[in-house]
């Protein structure tokens, strides 16, 4: 039984602020009880090999942005997996996140119920859309601000994007000040331009001659 | 693709049911941090049936989220059915709690 612990994500990018968390990966040769799933993303070696084989974005994230903290056997399992296979699901993954954004915006417009959760989903959708698009283009970025790192200009300000990011932190960690009605209005006003941005990028991806997966 | 979006939709349904009640602060998500915050901000007992049911639903969804890339297995299908059942049980608990505190604090949307 071997255990390898890694840090990954914002701490490895030096992207630190008051709301930063530390992402931890527990990588195990076999399932093991007693590791807190609230603190660690827990994966077996078998599962990680599959993700590498699939060229999954999480495999790329770990490949490019993880640092080993502990090894029970002196090995570096993630490091030794090497480069993941090419990522080939850009079109379908981007469509999945475009739909999530659109469904969440519809829910937000239809009801004042769970507005923070819906904004949180819109943040997840936007960031993951940008991450998958960038990976498909061979320019990976895993930052919380990945939409701003694409060649195609993201149509809203960082200040407005922060409202979505704050909703995400409230939803996933219960941390931070509650969003005001004004914050929510601002986020909703900027949303149609994000919908158009996603549509334009999806078309751009297909017109660049990439196949639809 | 369907699995991921369905899991989010399942969370939305549970939150929608819980947030029909006008809380001092609504429930923002089904993470442990969000549930702990909601319990604290609304001064709820952590052994309240509604809280326990939300935590059970969250555990199942967390398990499914860790399985997001998996093939659809019998285990996955069973857990999906469990989540549907837990959603119904959360809705029932919300209705019961709403009755307990008075219908004036329940939103229609």
């Amino acid at each position: 039984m071997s255990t390898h612990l890694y840090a990954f994500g914002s701490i490895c990018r030096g992207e630190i602020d008051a709301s930063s968390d530390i992402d931890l990966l527990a990588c195990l040769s076999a399932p093991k009880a007693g590791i807190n799933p609230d603190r660690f993303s827990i994966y077996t070696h078998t599962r990680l090999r599959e993700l590498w084989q699939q060229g999954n974005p999480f495999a790329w994230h770990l490949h490019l942005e993880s640092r080993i903290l502990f090894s029970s056997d002196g090995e570096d399992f993630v490091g030794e997996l090497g480069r993941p296979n090419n990522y080939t699901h850009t079109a379908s993954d981007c469509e999945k996140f475009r739909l999530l954004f659109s469904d969440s915006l519809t829910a937000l417009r239809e009801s004042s119920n769970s507005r923070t959760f819906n904004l949180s989903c819109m943040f997840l959708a936007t960031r993951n859309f940008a991450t998958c698009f960038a990976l498909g283009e061979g320019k990976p970025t895993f930052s919380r601000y990945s939409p701003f790192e694409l060649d195609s200009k993201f149509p809203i300000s960082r200040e407005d994007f922060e409202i979505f990011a704050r909703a995400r932190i409230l939803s996933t960690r219960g941390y931070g000040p509650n969003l005001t009605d004004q914050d929510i209005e601002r986020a909703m006003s900027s949303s149609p331009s994000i919908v158009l941005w996603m549509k334009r990028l999806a078309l751009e991806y297909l017109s660049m001659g990439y196949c639809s997966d | 693709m369907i699995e991921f979006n369905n899991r989010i939709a399942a969370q939305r349904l549970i939150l929608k049911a819980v947030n029909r009640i006008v809380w001092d602060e609504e429930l923002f998500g089904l993470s442990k941090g969000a549930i702990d915050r909601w319990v604290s901000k609304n001064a709820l007992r952590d052994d309240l049936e509604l809280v326990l049911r939300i935590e059970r639903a969250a555990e199942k969804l967390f398990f499914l989220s860790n399985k997001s890339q998996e093939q659809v297995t019998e285990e996955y299908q069973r857990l999906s059915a469990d989540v549907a059942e837990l959603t119904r049980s959360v809705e029932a608990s919300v209705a019961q709690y709403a009755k307990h505190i008075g219908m004036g604090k329940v939103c229609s949307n």
Side-chain angles (χ1 to χ4, degrees):
Chain A
M1 172 75 189
S2 64
T3 302
H4 305 104
L5 305 179
Y6 295 83
F8 65 99
S10 59
I11 187 117
C12 295
R13 290 189 299 273
E15 220 174 59
I16 301 294
D17 60 29
S19 65
S20 297
D21 199 5
I22 298 177
D23 292 312
L24 296 170
L25 170 76
C27 170
L28 311 169
S29 57
K32 177 182 172 184
I35 298 178
N36 182 353
D38 293 322
R39 292 295 303 133
F40 287 87
S41 297
I42 305 167
Y43 283 80
T44 61
H45 288 180
T46 306
R47 184 66 193 132
L48 285 176
R49 279 194 199 96
E50 287 170 0
L51 295 178
W52 250 251
Q53 185 70 29
Q54 293 163 4
N56 184 287
F58 187 55
W60 277 99
H61 191 178
L62 293 176
H63 173 61
L64 296 169
E65 282 187 356
S66 66
R67 303 282 182 277
I68 192 158
L69 302 174
F70 169 79
S71 171
S72 64
D73 57 5
E75 306 287 325
D76 172 1
F77 182 80
V78 166
E80 285 156 16
L81 284 173
R83 186 181 185 279
N85 280 342
N86 288 338
Y87 171 59
T88 56
H89 292 84
T90 306
S92 57
D93 283 347
C94 285
E95 176 60 9
K96 170 173 72 182
F97 294 120
R98 191 190 68 74
L99 273 177
L100 173 60
F101 190 94
S102 166
D103 289 349
S104 305
L105 178 57
T106 300
L108 190 60
R109 283 173 171 158
E110 282 177 350
S111 167
S112 59
N113 181 316
S114 306
R115 295 187 301 179
T116 299
F117 174 74
N118 285 316
L119 288 170
S120 158
C121 293
M122 290 157 78
F123 171 83
L124 175 70
T126 309
R127 188 200 55 195
N128 286 9
F129 181 99
T131 298
C132 290
F133 187 86
L135 192 53
E137 281 197 315
K139 300 172 185 170
T141 167
F142 300 96
S143 165
R144 166 191 334 172
Y145 299 103
S146 58
F148 294 93
E149 295 181 6
L150 303 186
D151 294 337
S152 176
K153 186 176 174 352
F154 189 53
I156 74 170
S157 68
R158 276 214 181 215
E159 203 180 4
D160 286 354
F161 189 63
E162 273 301 331
I163 299 169
F164 294 93
R166 281 171 52 205
R168 181 68 183 161
I169 293 166
L170 282 165
S171 178
T172 55
R173 288 169 38 208
Y175 174 81
N178 205 341
L179 300 179
T180 64
D181 287 343
Q182 194 184 9
D183 289 332
I184 293 166
E185 278 302 315
R186 275 180 68 174
M188 284 177 76
S189 303
S190 65
S191 297
S193 63
I194 300 177
V195 172
L196 290 175
W197 175 79
M198 287 178 168
K199 279 186 184 161
R200 187 161 49 76
L201 281 187
L203 285 172
E204 188 183 304
Y205 183 81
L206 293 175
S207 71
M208 282 160 69
Y210 295 107
C211 63
S212 174
D213 46 63
Chain B
M1 170 167 161
I2 301 296
E3 283 177 21
F4 177 84
N5 289 30
N6 282 352
R7 205 170 57 242
I8 301 267
Q11 286 185 62
R12 184 176 287 123
L13 269 182
I14 290 169
L15 290 170
K16 191 172 180 183
V18 174
N19 290 331
R20 286 187 64 227
I21 290 177
V22 183
W23 302 102
D24 288 340
E25 185 178 278
E26 68 174 19
L27 180 59
F28 295 138
L30 293 181
S31 63
K32 185 177 184 311
I35 295 171
D36 287 349
R37 174 179 172 131
W38 172 73
V39 166
S40 164
K41 293 273 183 182
N42 293 288
L44 300 173
R45 289 196 343 260
D46 53 15
D47 62 349
L48 188 71
E49 187 60 27
L50 174 59
V51 174
L52 297 176
R53 288 183 181 186
I54 291 168
E55 285 172 344
R56 274 202 291 276
E59 271 171 33
K60 294 283 182 190
L61 283 166
F62 180 83
F63 182 85
L64 292 181
S65 81
N66 267 1
K67 296 276 178 184
S68 63
Q69 305 298 327
E70 304 283 2
Q71 297 294 315
V72 175
T73 60
E74 282 182 18
E75 183 183 37
Y76 183 91
Q77 288 172 327
R78 183 175 57 74
L79 280 163
S80 298
D82 286 352
V83 168
E85 179 55 37
L86 282 165
T87 304
R88 283 191 289 275
S89 82
V90 168
E91 286 168 348
S93 243
V94 168
Q96 198 173 20
Y97 189 80
K99 197 182 272 184
H100 173 67
I101 61 172
M103 294 300 284
K105 289 191 88 180
V106 179
C107 275
S108 56
N109 56 7

